[in-house]
Amino acid sequence: MTRRKFIQKITVAGLAIIAGLWWLVRKAAPRRFVRAFGMKKYPGSVKTLPNTYDQSKWSG
Amino acid sequence: MVIKLTVQCELCPKMCLIEPGQSGECRVRINIDGVLRTVVYGYPCSMHDDPIEKKPLFHFLPGSRILSIATAGCNLHCLNCQNWEISQANPEDTPAYPCPPERLVQIAKEKNYSSIAYTYTDPIVYYEYTYDTAKLAREANIRNVLVTAGYINPEPWRKLLEVVDAANIDLKGITEEFYRKVCSATLKPVQEALVLARASGILVEVTNLIIPTLNDKAEQIRELCRWVKVNLGGETPLHFSRFFPQYKMRHLPPTSLKTLDIACEIAMEEGLSYVYIGNIQSEEGENTYCPDCKRLLIERVRYVIRQNHIKDGCCPDCGKEIYGVWR
């Protein structure tokens, strides 16, 4: 093997390792979200919408 | 190969790392199979007809009624929370109305509300529902009001502010220690949110709940007022609100009227033009006066407007422009 071919092989192998590591890091890192997706169903009980609305007891 | 399905919620400064099947600190943003989902979208647990003064907003359409909604959950866990039954509740334990954004805007239109308030808990945790509804409401000429602790990251905050007309934002204290100990949060992001809101051009009013022994020292109040004056401007209305023993803070007494009066005096000494007292009956603490000629502009008793002399957004005597949205 010539010196040039040896350097080529080392470079290719090095790049493959870097690419693999990058892929692993990306997969292992948590997915980031600002906006969340909706859900089809509410997890609690659902009540009927009223016709009139009163003043709340809550602050704000 | 096993790939982790952890997600990170970047909505608020808590930046929760959420494992599959778990929720963030707010209880309503859940990791389902590696996707962040909001379980309260379109499901408000509270829908009410409130006077705008109750938010409190004193410089935004005074005397108007506002359709006010909230979902379960909150990203803060204030020991003194007055709405803890819904803010610190799990959605599965909190009954809710099925009311997607389109329906909510339709109700507001049918019942002739000029604005919708996203309030009671914190609209930050039902961000997507707030944003989508506010966008539709704006298209229908209905205004949008946030009542919030302002604990949100800058990017989503800027986006939300584009569809909002007014906000009452809490500045709960002026030290990191207070925010850490009482609210399980930090001060800086709230200050950033306040500055961004004011710079965005929406109407901003600030509320500070004064809690005996925790944030009622004259020097703390003075520092808070100075911060508001320097960073938000002297025209920003500031509401000092009375504390009542609630939730995990039942051992402290209610705030005295004297403390609230002193806070008002300090705020005015520091150059704030519109300072109010809330959660308590006071003779003049809810009135608006012209900062220049001191004329009474709006007389309020609790949530009722007794007199409103503001003319085209100005003082009728000296012509001073009064900060606010008046029609």
Side-chain angles (χ1 to χ4, degrees), chain B residues 8 19 29 32 42-43 148 165 168 173 187 191 193 199 202 206 208 246 252 257 266 283 296 304 312:
Chain B
Q8 183 159 40
E19 298 294 328
R29 301 170 73 78
I32 296 176
Y43 286 98
T148 174
D165 298 283
N168 186 302
L187 169 66
Q191 291 178 316
I202 69 160
V206 178
N208 174 241
Q246 284 275 349
L252 293 175
L257 180 59
I266 293 171
E283 275 195 18
L296 172 69
V304 178
D312 299 326

Side-chain angles (χ1 to χ4, degrees), chain A residues 24 27 30-39 42 45-51 53-56 58-60, chain B residues 1 6-8 10 29 34 36-38 46 48-50 54-55 83 91 94-96 98 111 120 128 132:
Chain A
L24 258 177
K27 284 290 174 192
R31 286 180 73 188
R32 296 152 151 211
F33 293 85
V34 173
R35 195 183 160 102
F37 290 87
M39 291 258 290
Y42 184 67
S45 60
V46 174
K47 45 190 181 180
T48 318
L49 271 171
N51 281 325
Y53 301 95
D54 54 352
Q55 191 169 308
S56 80
W58 308 119
S59 167
Chain B
M1 182 184 164
T6 305
V7 303
Q8 183 159 40
E10 297 188 326
R29 301 170 73 78
L36 185 66
R37 295 201 178 266
T38 162
S46 295
H48 294 279
D49 169 80
D50 284 342
K54 187 171 170 290
K55 302 300 118 193
N83 297 343
T94 314
K111 310 241 176 228
Y120 306 140
E128 296 78 10
D132 291 354

Side-chain angles (χ1 to χ4, degrees), chain B residues 14 48 51 57 61-62 127 139 158 191 193 207 215 219 247 259 273 276 279 289 297 316 318 325:
Chain B
K14 299 231 163 165
H48 294 279
L57 278 183
L61 308 176
Y127 179 85
E139 285 165 16
R158 278 194 196 96
Q191 291 178 316
T207 294
N215 64 353
E219 57 270 30
Y247 190 40
T259 304
S273 300
Y276 303 103
N279 267 357
Y289 295 90
L297 295 172
C318 70
V325 175

Side-chain angles (χ1 to χ4, degrees), chain B residues 79-289:
Chain B
L79 301 175
N80 58 295
C81 183
Q82 295 181 63
N83 297 343
W84 60 273
E85 287 116 310
I86 49 175
S87 72
Q88 306 302 316
N90 291 317
E92 47 270 40
D93 303 326
T94 314
Y97 303 108
C99 192
E102 299 79 13
R103 181 80 186 104
L104 183 55
V105 173
Q106 190 190 354
I107 291 170
K109 266 164 77 177
E110 282 169 6
K111 310 241 176 228
N112 287 321
Y113 286 101
S114 55
S115 44
I116 299 173
Y118 310 86
T119 176
Y120 306 140
T121 54
D122 201 304
I124 306 305
V125 303
Y126 51 96
Y127 179 85
E128 296 78 10
Y129 184 40
T130 301
Y131 180 83
D132 291 354
T133 308
K135 208 171 163 200
L136 284 177
R138 176 161 281 190
E139 285 165 16
N141 285 325
I142 294 167
R143 284 155 166 165
N144 298 293
V145 167
L146 303 177
V147 182
T148 174
Y151 205 60
I152 183 170
N153 282 330
E155 184 206 331
W157 184 231
R158 278 194 196 96
K159 193 166 182 235
L160 185 57
L161 288 170
E162 288 171 11
V163 289
V164 164
D165 298 283
N168 186 302
I169 304 172
D170 282 344
L171 182 55
K172 293 170 185 282
I174 199 64
T175 62
E176 286 290 351
E177 191 193 7
F178 179 89
Y179 263 88
R180 205 176 51 249
K181 280 189 177 168
V182 179
C183 313
S184 71
T186 49
L187 169 66
K188 223 161 200 85
V190 178
Q191 291 178 316
E192 280 174 25
L194 277 157
V195 170
L196 278 175
R198 195 66 166 90
S200 75
I202 69 160
L203 178 116
V204 175
E205 300 193 22
V206 178
T207 294
N208 174 241
L209 181 87
I210 299 186
I211 307 175
T213 72
L214 295 179
N215 64 353
D216 63 341
K217 308 247 177 336
E219 57 270 30
Q220 292 169 328
I221 294 168
R222 193 173 293 283
E223 196 185 336
L224 184 138
C225 295
R226 274 186 195 155
W227 188 88
V228 171
K229 169 95 191 289
V230 170
N231 295 279
L232 309 178
E235 296 223 305
T236 307
L238 175 60
H239 301 258
F240 289 113
S241 197
R242 188 188 199 197
F243 160 85
F244 283 100
Q246 284 275 349
Y247 190 40
K248 294 182 177 173
M249 216 175 256
R250 294 174 194 266
H251 59 290
L252 293 175
T255 319
S256 68
L257 180 59
K258 193 181 163 199
T259 304
L260 294 164
D261 280 338
I262 291 170
C264 268
E265 279 170 29
I266 293 171
M268 287 186 207
E269 280 168 20
E270 290 302 322
L272 296 182
S273 300
Y274 309 105
V275 187
Y276 303 103
I277 289 175
N279 267 357
I280 194 168
Q281 196 94 31
S282 71
E283 275 195 18
E284 296 174 337
E286 294 170 310
N287 294 344
T288 302
Y289 295 90

Side-chain angles (χ1 to χ4, degrees), chain B residues 3 45 65 123:
Chain B
I3 294 170
C45 63
R65 309 292 300 183

